[in-house]
Amino acid sequence: MKSKLFFLFSLFFLVLLFPSKAFAEEIKQFNVKLEVLQNADLKVSETILYNFGENQKHGIFREIPLIMTNQSGKKFRLKVENVNVPNWSNSTNLTNSSLTIKIGDPNVLLSGIKIYQINYTVLGALTYFSDHDELYWNITGNSWQVAIEKTQATILLPETGLIKKVACYT
């Protein structure tokens, strides 16, 4: 009897210590393509491979921050236009600090892996300094309530020949 009790206790402890990831909700992959246009606008294309696991949800929320602070501490507001989410019902909600894109249908429950493509344009996305121009962009944002397993970003710059230095940070 003691050995059965010990075995059950050990099994319970192991389950708590090593929870199963198989059914956890997560973003498997977050791919972003940023294209800096000649007029300093930014074309953004996001592909999100979202795993609901066995959870049943109506969709996702993508929150895009609109207030940015440059290295000098100056705050500026971004303007986002042309939001497009092909193949999914969606709506947007604009506040002072962010644009939230609600993607999904309130009448449809989803589970498993879904792919979301989100396209939008950010007007005047570059910050100008006396000695350089800067694109300061948070690729995934900070508002996700689930883990992001893998992120990839591709940045396309205008072919002006003026670019002398490129730096990326995490």
Side-chain angles (χ1 to χ4, degrees):
M1 180 67 177
K2 283 185 179 183
S3 63
K4 281 187 180 182
L5 188 58
F6 178 76
F7 175 75
L8 289 174
F9 178 75
S10 299
L11 185 61
F12 177 74
F13 180 77
L14 285 174
V15 168
L16 287 178
L17 189 60
F18 301 105
S20 171
K21 257 187 83 172
F23 305 114
E25 191 172 339
E26 68 179 343
I27 296 173
K28 299 291 286 176
Q29 190 154 346
F30 197 118
N31 294 333
V32 180
K33 178 180 154 190
L34 303 173
E35 182 180 355
V36 180
L37 304 177
Q38 290 282 357
N39 65 357
D41 290 352
L42 186 64
K43 277 180 59 176
V44 181
S45 179
E46 302 176 347
T47 304
I48 301 170
L49 186 65
Y50 198 99
N51 185 8
F52 291 98
E54 291 193 358
N55 296 333
Q56 292 197 330
K57 303 272 181 101
H58 295 284
I60 64 171
F61 293 91
R62 171 64 171 111
E63 187 175 321
I64 301 167
L66 298 178
I67 304 297
M68 303 295 277
T69 305
N70 67 17
Q71 288 178 335
S72 303
K74 180 182 177 189
K75 292 187 179 205
F76 57 98
R77 182 177 172 81
L78 299 173
K79 185 173 181 183
V80 175
E81 291 185 344
N82 306 319
V83 175
N84 178 23
V85 185
N87 305 316
W88 292 97
S89 298
N90 65 89
S91 62
T92 59
N93 181 38
L94 182 63
T95 66
N96 285 336
S97 61
S98 67
L99 172 72
T100 301
I101 307 168
K102 181 180 179 181
I103 307 168
D105 187 331
N107 300 314
V108 177
L109 288 171
L110 305 170
S111 62
I113 296 176
K114 304 296 177 217
I115 298 174
Y116 296 94
Q117 178 75 40
I118 306 169
N119 305 303
Y120 53 94
T121 303
V122 181
L123 304 184
L126 295 183
T127 304
Y128 301 100
F129 295 92
S130 61
D131 61 341
H132 71 281
D133 301 334
E134 178 180 271
L135 170 63
Y136 184 83
W137 192 255
N138 185 332
I139 297 295
T140 62
N142 297 327
S143 63
W144 293 103
Q145 301 299 309
V146 299
I148 300 173
E149 188 174 305
K150 183 178 179 184
T151 301
Q152 178 179 333
T154 302
I155 302 171
L156 304 172
L157 302 170
E159 294 184 26
T160 61
L162 299 175
I163 298 167
K164 298 192 179 358
K165 179 182 173 187
V166 175
C168 296
Y169 304 94
T170 61

